[in-house]
Amino acid sequence: MLFRSLRRAIDADELGLVYHPQVELGTGEVLWVESLVRWVHPTMGLLMPDEFVPPAEQTGLIYQLTRWILRRTLRQAAAWQRQGLQIGIAVNFSARDLQLPGMPDFVTSCLRQYRVPASRLKVEITEGSLMDEPEQVLRTVTHLRSRGVGVVLDDFGMGYASLSHLKQLPIDELKIDRSFVSQLRQGGLDISIVRLTIELGHQMGARVVAEGVEDQET
C-alpha cells in the first residue's frame, strides 16, 4: 500500500524538501545545505525518510525518488543563484543509485538543464553503500568526481566499510555520525573518536563535517 502511495506521490509531485544547513565554525557562514525529502501522506501525516526510503530501496522505486529529489534540489539551487545566493547543495544517493552505470550521465544532464555548476553539487553516500557491488560504486563515484561533483562519505564511524575500501574512495568530505557528536558534552571516549576521525579525514585530504552539533559547547 505504501509503495503504491509513494509512486503516486512522486508522479503527482506531492513530496517536499527541507534544507539542512552546514555552518562553517570559523565564520558562522552557511556555505552548503543538505537536501532532505519529506512526505505529507494524506492519511498518515508527515512521514520521515526512514519510514519510506527503505521500502523504496527494496522495491526499486528509489531510482524514481532520487531523480525527483535531484531535479527539485537543482531547481531550488538555480533559484538561489538568480537571487545571488551562492549556496552549494548536497543530495543523498542510495547504494542502488550508485550501482547504475548511467547515473553520472543523468546527474550531468540535470546540472546542464538547470545551469548549476557541478562544483555546487555534492553527492552523499554512506559507508554501507560500499558493501554491495563496491567496484561499480567506485566507478560511479569516480566518474561523478571527474565531472566536478563533490563526493561525501556520510554517517562515518558506523563501521560498515573497511579501511581498504576507504583508501580507494575518492572523497571530498567526511561526515562524522551524530551518534558520536551528540555525546561530546559528556566527555569520555566519544571525544577521542571524534578527534581521530577529524585527523583521518584531514589526512585523506577531505573536509570534515560534524552531524548533530546543536549547542555552543559541542
Side-chain angles (χ1 to χ4, degrees), residues 62-78:
I62 190 65
Y63 304 130
Q64 291 176 251
L65 180 60
T66 300
R67 282 163 169 73
W68 184 91
I69 293 170
L70 181 62
R71 289 191 182 101
R72 286 294 297 267
T73 301
L74 290 175
R75 190 172 78 180
Q76 179 61 66

Side-chain angles (χ1 to χ4, degrees), residues 2 9 42 75 100 140 152 170 206:
L2 191 63
R75 190 172 78 180
L100 285 178
T140 299
V152 180

Side-chain angles (χ1 to χ4, degrees), residues 93-100 123 125 129 136-137 140-141 144:
F93 275 54
S94 75
R96 285 203 173 197
D97 294 321
L98 297 169
Q99 291 169 23
L100 285 178
V123 169
I125 67 176
S129 66
Q136 179 58 51
V137 169
T140 299
V141 168
L144 286 169

